[in-house]
């Protein structure tokens, strides 16, 4: 009878298999060896339905803990077919006595199986056999968090969720230990498992994670930062206190890690957290800690937060470039563009002795001020007359960056600098006019024209240079104004006029040639030389009209005028290039 029933466990029809299982249970006694072996043998059948029936039959003929049945089932856990391994695990869940170390060990081994369904079945076995609070299951599943395959680590997290009691100190310690693992994937798995086991706001879990903020390995500290919000709700005072405690650590790397963790557990606008982060901006020995404090404030402070804004503005001139850049980003986050105090603080940096700080100050003004902001323009303008060329350059760059092109306020500032006694300041003003306006800008031209009659020759030279830069080519008003200086007593002024004409006059400009030609008969040799240079600068080579115009001066009674005309003609005539002959080669 037993043999007949056992044969029908593999029947094609489910109803026959079910009847055979029931018959086997009735005719064989509990633990009957023949029935157990017969049912176990069907666990490796190729049909899933047959295997399922075999599991039911085995559970009906073998008691929990039956050694023979367990041995047969365990042998099938190593079968090459996935379906057979799954059926064996299902049978193990039915046959293993509660808390069986043997079954727990086998199930945890199967957490490393290549097949996802097998791993899922192993989790079910652990849930059925180990139950909540099994130390053995927690330890074995925790070890799987270090597995090289992501899927196995994920299965270990699921297993821990069903075998560890929430808040279980041993389970929390075991999973927290993985946060210090050398493998980043194991650290992530440990963090996920902690979240499953501890839940949120578990003081024990918070303490375990926070202690890893002091780990010497940067990767472990980073893992602790990421894990904290998994085990602590935002605003959790215990978590905040645990992090703040590390802000006073002697190692600046630990302080930086704590600052990184603070926004993860403290709510935006938390005055206590903001104050503690702001205090670390004064960490003189560690730029990394100051940068971390800036990042923390950007995440912790509410829009317009006074305490955070004041603390951030004070670091716009920080010795570390990374801190200065981070402060700019944070101020945009906390104050937005156009904050007057931030603009003033940035502008103050334009006068700093360090070129790097000045460069950062200019960049900060450009980022923090709206285009055309009068406060930024006025603040930068105060540095245009500095003795330090680097300061002037920084101020000029800021003016050009902040102002709209052709801004009248900027042109007034630059125009005033054209009269400065320092050559360097005047040069800065000329460069500023070039960058701040387009050629032909009437207001820029008026600034240059207004200084052409200045009593200082140096200022007139600068004004001529500016005119040559801002006037459009062919501007007759500018050309006439420049030509008036070709016979000036001061040689630098005459030379500046020639250079300006070269920039403004069109080739063969009749007005320039006439004005310069008239000076070829001047009694002053320097004026004649200037006229000569002006004609050379404007006349086109081999141009018939220019040659004819200059040739008329060959008839002058003054030998100096004739000699000057000869020199001009020599420069206008292009000498023919000699062609090489075979003999000459």
């Amino acid at each position: 009878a037993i043999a007949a029933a056992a044969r029908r466990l593999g029947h094609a029809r489910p109803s026959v298999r079910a009847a055979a299982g029931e018959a086997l249970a009735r005719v064989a006694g509990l633990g009957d060896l023949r029935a157990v072996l017969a049912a176990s043998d069907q666990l490796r059948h190729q049909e899933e339905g047959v295997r399922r029936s075999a599991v039911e039959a085995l559970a009906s003929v073998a008691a929990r803990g039956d050694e023979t049945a367990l041995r047969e089932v365990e042998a099938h856990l190593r079968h090459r077919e996935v379906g057979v391994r799954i059926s064996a695990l299902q049978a193990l869940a039915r046959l293993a006595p509660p808390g069986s170390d043997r079954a727990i060990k086998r199930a945890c081994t199967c957490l490393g199986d290549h097949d996802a369904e097998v791993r899922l079945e192993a989790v079910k076995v652990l849930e059925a056999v180990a139950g909540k609070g099994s130390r053995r299951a927690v330890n074995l599943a925790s070890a799987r968090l270090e597995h090289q395959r992501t899927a196995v680590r994920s299965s270990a997290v699921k297993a821990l969720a069903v075998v560890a009691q929430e808040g279980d100190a041993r389970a929390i310690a075991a999973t927290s230990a993985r946060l210090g693992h050398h493998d980043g994937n194991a650290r992530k798995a440990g963090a996920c498992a902690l979240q499953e086991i501890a839940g949120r706001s578990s003081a024990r879990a918070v303490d375990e994670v926070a202690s890893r903020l002091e780990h010497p390995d940067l990767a472990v500290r980073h893992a602790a930062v990421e894990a904290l919000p998994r085990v602590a709700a935002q605003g959790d005072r215990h978590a905040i206190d645990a992090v703040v405690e590390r802000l006073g650590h002697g190692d600046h790397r630990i302080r930086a890690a704590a600052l990184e963790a603070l926004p993860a557990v403290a709510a935006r606008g938390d005055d206590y957290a903001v104050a503690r982060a702001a205090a670390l901006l004064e960490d003189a020995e560690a730029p990394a800690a100051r940068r971390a404090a800036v990042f923390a404030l950007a995440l912790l402070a509410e829009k317009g937060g006074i305490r955070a804004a004041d603390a951030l503005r004070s670091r716009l001139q920080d010795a570390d470039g990374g801190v200065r850049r981070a402060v700019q980003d944070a101020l945009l986050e906390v104050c937005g563009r156009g904050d007057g105090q931030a603009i003033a603080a940035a502008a103050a940096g334009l006068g700093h002795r360090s070129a790097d700080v000045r460069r950062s100050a200019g960049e900060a003004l450009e980022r923090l001020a709206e285009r055309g902001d009068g406060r930024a323009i006025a603040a930068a303008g105060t540095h245009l007359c500095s003795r330090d060329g680097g300061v002037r350059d920084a101020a000029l760059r800021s003016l050009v960056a902040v102002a709209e092109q052709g801004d009248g306020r900027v042109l007034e500032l630059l125009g005033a600098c054209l009269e400065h006694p320092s050559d360097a300041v005047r040069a800065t003003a000329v460069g500023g006019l070039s960058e701040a306006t387009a050629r032909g800008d009437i207001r820029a031209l008026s600034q240059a024209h207004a200084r052409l009659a200045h009593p200082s020759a140096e200022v007139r030279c600068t004004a001529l240079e500016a005119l040559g830069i801002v006037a459009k080519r062919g501007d007759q008003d500018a050309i006439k104004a420049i030509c008036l200086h070709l016979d000036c007593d001061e040689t630098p002024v005459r030379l500046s006029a020639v250079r300006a004409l070269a920039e403004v006059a069109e080739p063969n400009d009749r007005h320039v040639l006439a004005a310069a030609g008239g000076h070829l008969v001047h009694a002053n040799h320097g004026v004649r030389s200037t006229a000569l240079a002006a004609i050379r600068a404007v006349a086109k080579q081999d141009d018939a009209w220019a040659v004819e115009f200059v040739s008329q001066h060959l008839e002058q009674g003054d030998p100096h005028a004739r000699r000057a005309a000869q020199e001009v003609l020599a420069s206008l005539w292009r000498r023919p290039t000699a062609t090489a002959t075979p003999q000459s080669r």
Side-chain angles (χ1 to χ4, degrees):
I2 292 174
R7 283 196 302 273
R8 285 164 177 77
L9 287 175
H11 200 279
R13 282 168 31 207
S15 58
V16 175
R17 295 197 300 271
E22 292 175 7
L24 192 62
R26 282 198 301 270
V27 299
L30 194 62
D32 184 284
L33 181 60
R34 291 172 300 167
V36 168
L37 293 175
S40 299
D41 190 54
Q42 296 299 327
L43 288 175
R44 59 187 179 191
H45 198 282
Q46 63 182 5
E47 294 292 335
E48 181 183 356
V50 173
R51 295 195 302 271
R52 202 162 38 239
S53 297
V55 169
E56 294 296 328
L58 193 55
S60 65
V61 298
R64 278 192 178 273
D66 185 292
E67 184 62 31
T68 302
L70 287 172
R71 193 167 51 250
E72 289 293 320
V73 166
E74 289 168 357
H76 290 5
L77 290 174
R78 297 185 294 273
H79 200 279
R80 66 177 181 276
E81 294 293 334
V82 169
V84 174
R85 297 199 298 276
I86 291 173
S87 296
L89 282 166
Q90 292 169 345
L92 185 62
R94 302 284 294 273
L95 294 172
S100 168
D101 278 356
R102 178 178 177 179
I104 291 170
K105 182 179 180 181
R106 297 291 184 272
C108 285
T109 299
C110 291
L111 289 175
D113 196 280
H114 285 276
D115 187 82
E117 290 187 48
V118 173
R119 295 194 300 273
L120 181 59
E121 205 62 49
V123 172
K124 292 178 182 178
V125 172
L126 287 171
E127 185 175 17
V129 177
K132 290 282 188 181
S134 168
R135 182 183 300 185
R136 175 75 166 158
V138 167
N139 290 339
L140 289 172
S142 296
R144 289 292 179 183
L145 293 173
E146 301 177 11
H147 200 279
Q148 61 183 0
R149 296 209 319 275
T150 303
V152 174
R153 295 193 298 270
S154 178
S155 296
V157 171
K158 293 175 183 175
L160 283 166
V162 301
V163 300
Q165 292 180 329
E166 187 169 325
D168 183 299
R170 292 191 301 270
I172 289 173
T175 50
S176 297
R178 268 70 196 181
L179 294 177
H181 198 274
H182 64 86
D183 188 326
N185 292 318
R187 293 193 294 269
K188 289 178 183 177
C192 293
L194 258 184
Q195 185 175 5
E196 292 289 343
I197 295 168
R200 304 188 85 183
S201 302
S202 164
R204 183 176 280 109
V206 167
D207 290 341
E208 286 280 358
V209 175
S211 69
R212 265 70 183 186
L213 291 173
E214 302 181 25
H215 199 280
D217 189 332
L218 172 63
V220 174
R221 296 196 298 273
H222 186 65
V225 170
E226 290 187 336
L228 262 179
R230 292 177 179 270
V231 296
Q234 196 167 51
D236 184 291
R237 298 315 305 179
H238 182 76
I240 293 172
D241 289 340
V243 172
V244 166
E245 181 184 343
R246 271 83 186 177
L247 292 178
H249 198 281
D251 188 332
H252 70 86
R253 296 170 301 177
I254 309 307
R255 297 196 295 275
L259 281 164
E260 189 180 350
L262 193 55
V265 294
R268 187 178 284 274
D270 186 312
D271 288 337
Y272 175 64
V274 168
R276 295 311 303 264
L280 267 292
L281 285 175
E282 305 300 325
D283 194 332
E285 70 172 69
R290 296 199 299 277
R291 285 195 297 271
V294 172
F295 295 140
L297 282 174
L299 295 171
L300 288 169
E302 291 182 313
K303 276 285 187 185
I306 296 174
R307 186 196 294 270
D310 286 345
L312 289 167
R313 293 185 200 109
S314 71
R315 304 313 304 178
L316 277 169
Q317 297 181 35
D318 193 277
D320 182 78
V323 173
R324 295 194 298 270
R325 180 70 185 189
V327 167
Q328 293 175 27
D329 294 336
L331 280 172
L332 286 172
E333 180 69 28
V334 176
C335 303
R337 295 189 78 181
D339 177 70
Q341 289 177 283
I343 290 169
L350 293 174
H352 199 278
R353 64 181 180 277
S354 164
D356 288 338
V357 173
R358 292 196 299 268
R359 194 178 301 111
S360 292
E363 182 183 287
L365 264 185
E366 183 178 355
R367 297 183 70 200
L368 297 172
E370 298 283 1
R371 195 81 166 167
D373 189 297
R375 295 162 301 182
I377 291 171
T382 61
H383 296 285
L384 284 175
C385 296
S386 171
R387 294 180 182 179
D388 189 321
V391 173
R392 293 194 303 273
D393 290 343
L396 179 59
R397 284 194 299 270
S398 298
L399 272 178
V400 173
V402 173
E404 300 282 357
Q405 192 173 55
D407 188 298
R409 296 164 297 182
V410 175
L411 297 180
E412 287 287 342
L413 287 168
L414 294 171
C417 290
L418 291 175
E419 301 181 19
H420 198 278
S422 165
D423 293 344
V425 173
R426 294 197 305 275
T428 297
V430 172
L433 284 173
S434 172
E435 293 188 45
T437 62
R439 274 189 176 267
D441 187 286
I442 295 175
R443 289 168 296 184
L445 287 168
S446 68
Q447 294 293 337
H449 276 292
R451 273 85 189 174
L452 289 176
H454 197 277
S456 165
E458 289 84 357
V459 173
R460 295 199 300 277
C461 286
T462 304
L464 286 164
E465 183 183 353
L467 203 55
I469 287 174
V470 299
K472 283 186 175 179
R473 190 170 285 280
D475 183 327
Q476 288 302 305
D477 289 337
I479 290 169
K480 289 173 183 177
I482 295 168
C483 285
L484 292 176
H485 294 270
L486 290 175
D487 63 346
C488 180
D489 291 339
E490 292 94 342
T491 300
V493 175
R494 295 197 304 270
L495 295 177
S496 294
V498 171
R499 286 192 292 270
L501 285 174
E503 294 292 331
V504 179
E506 298 279 7
N508 279 354
D509 186 286
R510 303 295 193 265
H511 183 86
V512 175
L513 292 176
H519 293 312
L520 289 175
V521 295
H522 199 280
N524 186 317
H525 173 70
V527 174
R528 294 196 301 275
S529 296
T530 302
L532 198 63
I535 294 172
R536 284 172 175 163
V538 175
K540 290 174 66 177
Q541 204 170 44
D542 284 345
D543 184 86
W545 187 89
V547 169
E548 177 62 27
F549 173 81
V550 176
S551 295
Q552 295 172 10
H553 291 275
L554 294 174
E555 302 173 10
Q556 290 282 349
D558 185 349
H560 296 299
R562 292 196 301 274
R563 191 177 303 112
Q566 289 169 351
E567 289 182 28
V568 173
L569 286 172
S571 66
L572 291 178
W573 286 331
R574 182 182 291 135
R575 295 177 181 178
T577 304
T579 304
T581 64
Q583 291 82 356
S584 66
R585 294 197 195 109

